[in-house]
Amino acid sequence: MHKSKLAGFVVDCRTDNLQSAAEFWAAALGMQTQPLPGQEGEKYIQLLDPSDRLHIEVQSVEHSSRVHLDIETDDIEAEVKRLEALGARQISSVNTWCVMEAPTGQRFCVVRPESEAFAAQAKQWD
Amino acid sequence: MHKSKLAGFVVDCRTDNLQSAAEFWAAALGMQTQPLPGQEGEKYIQLLDPSDRLHIEVQSVEHSSRVHLDIETDDIEAEVKRLEALGARQISSVNTWCVMEAPTGQRFCVVRPESEAFAAQAKQWD
């Protein structure tokens, strides 16, 4: 048995100026930015959801700009298998997470638990 | 003065089978589907966020599949002006909402209030 839920989303921005991209999205969504520590901070800036429900990041990317969803889980391997059975396919493994593609074409990521609400609200799969 | 906040997101799917697309995303995210009434139901199926925070829809589209964010507001015109001042541009007006593009290239929509949390949680802009 494992658990998963929607963690939030990442605003993928093809930009040389991550700070400026994050400032736009923070102002647009009425959120504060929070720098991430170390090397992660070079590619990602977190946006703080005022309702504390979503984990949101702005990411500097090489591919076209888009928005992708993150699914958080306490068992990446089991969750990837569950999603494959639904018709998604694995694209790549990056550090601790897995990039997948939906049958309808959108890329999304399967990540370790990162939202405050994971323990209380994730759905359990048998 | 007007208010706005992130309403949620729409999973835009280039598909002839909206039902099947919605069923994938509902199962992937651990949510239930809810048909929408009338003509709207031909293009959109709602996904019910178990935490009642987000308004989420799966939409059948002609363009490439993607995910787009919705910003909800009690004054579309004022919110569009605020977002233009931040660097976004208007793409089109559709029924009651406005399609915009961020400086980083992602399309998003400015819509009328649709989440349960709007009154309590929207940010007020002077």
Side-chain angles (χ1 to χ4, degrees):
Chain A
M1 282 192 303
H2 76 284
K3 294 168 86 172
S4 73
K5 67 180 275 295
L6 173 70
F9 57 83
V10 181
V11 185
D12 292 337
C13 298
R14 187 172 191 162
T15 179
D16 294 329
N17 193 334
L18 173 62
Q19 185 64 38
S20 158
E23 280 165 13
F24 168 80
W25 283 103
L29 302 177
M31 297 180 181
Q32 301 292 315
T33 59
Q34 175 159 293
L36 292 172
Q39 278 198 316
E40 215 186 355
E42 293 167 23
K43 273 190 71 179
Y44 301 89
I45 293 177
Q46 194 175 344
L47 301 188
L48 298 175
D49 173 15
S51 73
D52 262 348
R53 294 288 168 156
L54 296 173
H55 186 90
I56 304 173
E57 293 180 0
V58 177
Q59 178 180 200
S60 145
V61 297
E62 305 283 326
H63 57 68
S64 303
S65 287
R66 60 190 181 214
V67 173
H68 79 253
L69 302 180
D70 275 354
I71 293 174
E72 60 187 343
T73 179
D74 54 4
D75 186 335
I76 301 251
E77 193 182 335
E79 179 66 3
V80 166
K81 277 189 190 156
R82 187 183 76 84
L83 292 161
E84 283 178 332
L86 295 173
R89 66 190 181 99
Q90 275 196 66
I91 300 296
S92 61
S93 275
V94 185
N95 300 326
T96 60
W97 64 91
C98 183
V99 182
M100 300 193 77
E101 188 173 283
T104 45
Q106 298 89 348
R107 297 278 168 104
F108 62 96
C109 290
V110 180
V111 303
R112 296 197 287 198
E114 54 186 23
S115 84
E116 300 270 340
F118 181 79
Q121 295 184 353
K123 187 160 173 120
Q124 186 160 299
W125 307 103
D126 293 326
Chain B
M1 282 190 305
H2 75 284
K3 294 167 86 173
S4 73
K5 67 179 275 296
L6 173 71
F9 56 84
V10 180
V11 185
D12 291 337
C13 298
R14 187 173 193 162
T15 179
D16 294 328
N17 192 334
L18 173 63
Q19 186 64 38
S20 157
E23 280 166 13
F24 168 80
W25 282 104
L29 302 177
M31 297 179 181
Q32 301 293 315
T33 58
Q34 175 160 293
L36 292 173
Q39 279 199 314
E40 215 185 356
E42 293 168 23
K43 272 189 72 179
Y44 301 90
I45 292 177
Q46 193 175 346
L47 302 188
L48 298 176
D49 173 15
S51 73
D52 263 347
R53 295 287 168 157
L54 296 173
H55 187 90
I56 304 173
E57 292 180 359
V58 176
Q59 178 181 200
S60 144
V61 297
E62 305 284 325
H63 57 68
S64 305
S65 287
R66 62 191 180 214
V67 173
H68 80 253
L69 302 180
D70 275 354
I71 294 175
E72 59 186 343
T73 180
D74 54 5
D75 186 335
I76 302 252
E77 192 181 336
E79 180 66 3
V80 166
K81 277 189 190 154
R82 188 185 75 83
L83 292 161
E84 283 179 331
L86 295 173
R89 67 192 181 98
Q90 276 196 65
I91 300 296
S92 60
S93 275
V94 186
N95 301 326
T96 60
W97 64 92
C98 182
V99 181
M100 300 193 76
E101 188 173 283
T104 46
Q106 298 89 347
R107 298 277 168 103
F108 62 97
C109 290
V110 179
V111 303
R112 296 197 287 197
E114 53 186 23
S115 83
E116 300 271 341
F118 181 78
Q121 296 184 351
K123 188 160 173 121
Q124 186 161 298
W125 307 104
D126 294 326

